[in-house]
Amino acid sequence: MAEAAVSFVGERLADILEEIDFHTDVRKHVERLQEELVRMRCFLKDAEAKQDDDERVRNWVSDIRNVAYDAEDLIDKFLLRMESLKKNNFFKRSASVFKEWKYRSNIANELLQIRGRIVNISASRETYGIRNIGEGISTARERLRKLRRSSPRGEEKDIVGLDEDIDKLVKQLVKTDDQWHAISIVGMGGIGKTTLAKKVYNHGDIQACFRSRAWVYVSQEFSSKDLLEAIIKQVGSPRRKLESLGEEELEGILFEHLRKKRYLVVLDDVWSIEAWNSIAKAFPDRSNGSRVMLTTRNKGIALKADAQSIPYHLHFLSEEDGWMLFCKKAFIHNNDSYGSPQLEETGKEIVAKCAGLPLAIIVVGGLLSTKKNLGEWKRVLSNMHSLFARDADGVSAILALSYNDLPYYLKSCFLHLGQFPEDRLIPSHKLFRLWIAEGLIPQQGERMEDVAEDYLNELIERNMVQVAKWSVNDRVKQCRLHDLLRDLSLSKAKAESFHEIQGCQNLQPSAKSRRHAIYSTFQWPQCKYSNPQLRSLLFFRVDHNQSQVNYYINDPYKMEVSDLDYIGKSFKLLRILELDGIPCSKVSSIIGVLIHLKYLGLKETNLQELSPSISSLRNLQTLDVAANLHLKIIPNVIWKLIKLRHLYMCGHKYGGPLRVDTLLHLQVLSEINVEKWMQNNPAKLTSLRKLGIRGNFSLKATEIFNSILALVQLQSLYLRAEDADFPPLTQLSALQNLIKLHIRGTVRKLPSSHEFPPNLTQLTLEHTHLKQDSVRVIENLPRLLILRLKAHSYDGQKMTISVNGFPQLEFLEFHSLECLEELNLEEGAVLRLRSFRIINCANLKMLPEGMKSLGALRELDIEEMPKAFVDRFRGEDFYKVQHVPSILFV
């Protein structure tokens, strides 16, 4: 994490050189400081790997992190002072010239001092035995590697919940397909990948099918030569001394041994694609059904080893299986008795805290096998995290291997996730905006939002983050942290002073921490504190049962104007302020002093007044004031926020003009009233990719649609008609890059299918009041993959999808179609449909007969439907959908 801090400060120094016209001597100090930081990073990776073993190294890394933070503070305070000088009136400007000279002189001296500290810290590394990257291995990791070294012998007896997995993998390995494959078992650390691989490796069918078998343990610190030697010794009887041979010779010998055999080689605990690539050439592909099986925490490695094989994901234990495994370990001497109902109740709470992770259940079960007193079990329940952390070779250490293997930029992102409340579903796009504002995403040509998405996907591939909800086009919509990985994130964040969480205990946070997450259970207004170095302040509501309608009235967590004033005065270096869901009716002028602010989240806060002083927030990237129905006026100063990337509003028509056409970096604008939109020159919004407009489109229809056509990058468009029906929408056909279109409001007649945007893949209709003739139009859209028909979008009692209708459609949703009574699917309709969702269609009597022909259908969701429909579905109509693998009733 010190590596991340050093890297970030290096980037900030580059920014300040561009922003400030320094004198030559000051510029040289900044450039030399940059060079020292680059040199420092050369040693940090080795040092961070060794800091768990050696307190001196830990202190050395801490010194680096502190000096990097001090350099960051120095830069930000200097910029704050320079900004304050710009606000002086004419009579103070002469004095400002002297102050500016003084500030520049001070920063030159302070930069020189920081550079001296870095030189001294760097020189001291040899005292601590810190070498360059790639040299040496920490003793803690070496000890853990030896303990984890696997072999196919010594199978675990108490195995629960793997029978189906064993059966599936054995069938996959012995199937008659002669093509060579590398099959991977993928999952989080401690989930049982090695246990499953052992059971499969020793299965009778596997032994009969593969006469030549080998098992090797790879690990993070692998040796290609050792791996090759180990495999050769298991599959053949080498006549030469292997120890004296080089890797190429060993590779050749193994290749010859395996060339005429049907073999199975297990590579257990693979951490890098380099490990696979170093020995992959030794496995001949003779089309004789040979297999290699890998276990890995990283899905990316599995896909690179064999892109044709789908990785086998090992899932968490169910509540029932988790309890069964726990009983086998905790009641080893008396498996049929829990001792008491209270003991069983506490045991089930303990198992729930393990969240389905077998390793955690086994460890805590073994610990409790010698404890039969209810009080002892209660103590374990209350202190599970510390118990796991205390064992140097236990659950936390094994999970920490995954954290230690992360590159520094992913470590920061993983630690950042720990700020969200336990079990909170985290919207991915909000997460991306926060990461960008934090400076965790580099500006290197590629769009930062895309890089952030890549980072999240990599954390998911490494099984550090779980997907909570996929979008219908297979992108991550929401994510979450497993409880034990969140515990790991919090412990690492505390050690690194990365962030602190204020929850139930009203304790003063550390002044070292630069990020604070405040939960609504913490009495923040009564426990205010000062931390001039604070960069991020996230407020979270955690009282999920509170009524949305009533919580604005006498809300205990309400943010008064004085509270926001305190934030402005006490945390002047703040970059992120998130108040989503925390009532605060007014944002006063003090917000303007937070010139470093990059993210201001005021969504659903009952905001009624926004100060024009937000015009001073020149670094702001995200402004979110959506879902504030009483915010009638947004001051016409948004145009000054030239770095703004994401702007979320309510689309009210009240107030005066709202200029936004100066925002060259703006990518999301949602929603803006059509009258205010027409006061801008959209052609200047060259980065805009997502737009939401609401209002009366009929008054100047041609001009409005022409203004939208000027957006050359537009990919997503939301149109909401108010006070009048939509005019003809034929002009939208010129939007070549548009892929998502959401229309809300009455449409008298849809354009013909060739008059829609040519590359449209997603269409949502709402309150459009369409009839059957409109279905004939949209069913011929050539690239349409996703269709949502929401409330009042369709007024017909009967809907028919024609022969070969919707040739590409994969997702279909009917939501609150009150008039619909009958659905018919003609021969060849929606043949590619994978997911069908029917929600609250109260008058729909039954599923169509044509459902039988939908061979591609994998998911069918039935939500909030009448009992008569559900009973018929489960009874006489079930033959229509019996081929669908996943059917969900809600």
Side-chain angles (χ1 to χ4, degrees), residues 223-248:
S223 161
S224 307
K225 188 173 184 296
D226 291 346
L227 295 176
L228 292 167
E229 284 182 24
I231 299 171
I232 291 169
K233 288 175 182 177
Q234 294 178 66
V235 299
S237 303
R239 298 173 183 175
R240 300 166 63 184
K241 280 194 172 183
L242 301 179
E243 293 78 10
S244 61
L245 302 180
E247 285 184 26
E248 285 191 23

Side-chain angles (χ1 to χ4, degrees), residues 29 99 215 224 251 274 327 387 399 430 525 631 679 687:
H29 288 314
K99 281 188 177 180
W215 176 294
S224 307
E251 196 176 272
E274 289 77 20
C327 290
L387 288 169
L399 295 180
K430 178 176 181 175
L631 180 62
Q679 295 161 2
S687 299

Side-chain angles (χ1 to χ4, degrees), residues 284-558:
D285 177 6
R286 307 296 292 179
S287 297
N288 63 355
S290 291
R291 305 281 187 260
V292 175
M293 185 163 65
L294 297 81
T295 72
T296 179
R297 304 185 187 192
N298 192 334
K299 179 185 173 184
I301 293 169
L303 293 172
K304 287 174 184 174
D306 185 355
Q308 304 302 315
S309 291
I310 299 172
Y312 191 88
H313 285 271
L314 196 50
H315 298 291
F316 297 100
L317 292 178
S318 66
E319 189 176 322
E320 182 181 348
D321 285 341
W323 175 244
M324 190 182 301
L325 179 60
F326 176 80
C327 290
K328 285 176 178 288
K329 295 298 180 182
F331 305 112
I332 192 167
H333 302 299
N334 189 9
N335 202 26
D336 297 325
S337 172
Y338 309 132
S340 71
Q342 292 86 359
L343 213 59
E344 180 180 354
E345 183 182 344
T346 304
K348 287 185 175 179
E349 289 184 61
I350 290 170
V351 171
K353 282 211 167 209
C354 294
L357 190 69
L359 176 65
I361 295 170
I362 290 167
V363 169
V364 75
L367 176 68
L368 291 171
S369 64
T370 59
K371 303 177 189 295
K372 299 303 175 189
N373 180 282
L374 180 61
E376 291 178 308
W377 281 46
K378 290 280 189 184
R379 275 197 299 277
V380 168
L381 175 63
S382 301
N383 298 285
M384 280 177 64
H385 170 63
S386 59
L387 288 169
F388 287 152
R390 202 179 300 158
D391 184 357
D393 306 316
V395 177
S396 295
I398 288 170
L399 295 180
L401 288 173
S402 294
Y403 173 78
N404 293 334
D405 190 59
L406 294 175
Y408 74 89
Y409 55 87
L410 289 184
K411 285 181 179 177
S412 301
C413 295
F414 175 71
L415 295 189
H416 183 274
L417 283 160
Q419 296 178 94
F420 288 85
E422 188 173 0
D423 297 324
R424 177 66 58 95
L425 302 185
I426 307 166
S428 58
H429 286 288
K430 178 176 181 175
L431 188 64
F432 301 157
R433 297 193 295 270
L434 288 169
W435 283 355
I436 291 168
E438 284 274 13
L440 304 182
I441 307 300
Q443 299 184 54
Q444 296 176 346
E446 196 175 356
R447 185 169 166 265
M448 287 194 288
E449 288 78 2
D450 293 337
V451 176
E453 186 171 15
D454 288 343
Y455 283 9
L456 178 60
N457 287 335
E458 188 172 349
L459 285 168
I460 291 166
E461 282 188 354
R462 289 169 174 267
N463 281 284
M464 298 294 285
V465 175
Q466 297 174 332
V467 178
K469 186 176 183 181
W470 292 98
S471 70
V472 292
N473 57 343
D474 293 328
R475 295 173 72 179
V476 180
K477 195 167 187 177
Q478 294 177 330
C479 63
R480 66 181 294 273
L481 282 183
H482 186 279
D483 290 349
L484 295 178
L485 282 172
R486 183 172 180 271
D487 289 342
L488 173 69
S489 176
L490 294 179
S491 66
K492 293 292 182 183
K494 184 177 181 181
E496 302 281 356
S497 297
F498 187 84
H499 67 67
E500 283 193 29
I501 293 174
Q502 300 302 305
C504 297
Q505 295 179 332
N506 295 329
L507 302 175
Q508 288 291 328
S510 165
K512 291 182 180 179
S513 180
R514 305 170 83 76
R515 300 168 184 86
H516 289 168
I518 312 294
Y519 295 174
S520 54
T521 46
F522 175 77
Q523 300 301 313
W524 189 81
Q526 286 79 43
C527 305
K528 291 173 184 171
Y529 52 84
S530 178
N531 183 345
Q533 285 75 42
L534 197 69
R535 295 309 200 279
S536 173
L537 193 54
L538 305 177
F539 287 84
F540 292 100
R541 285 199 81 99
V542 292
D543 54 335
H544 303 291
N545 298 322
Q546 184 80 321
S547 167
Q548 177 73 30
V549 177
N550 296 324
Y551 82 42
Y552 293 139
I553 305 168
N554 300 320
D555 191 292
Y557 313 128
K558 186 175 181 181

Side-chain angles (χ1 to χ4, degrees), residues 88 99 102 295 336 387 514 534 553 629 634 690 697 770 854:
N88 287 339
K99 281 188 177 180
K102 182 181 177 182
T295 72
D336 297 325
L387 288 169
R514 305 170 83 76
L534 197 69
I553 305 168
L629 301 180
I634 293 179
K690 182 176 181 179
F697 291 83
L770 300 175
L854 303 184

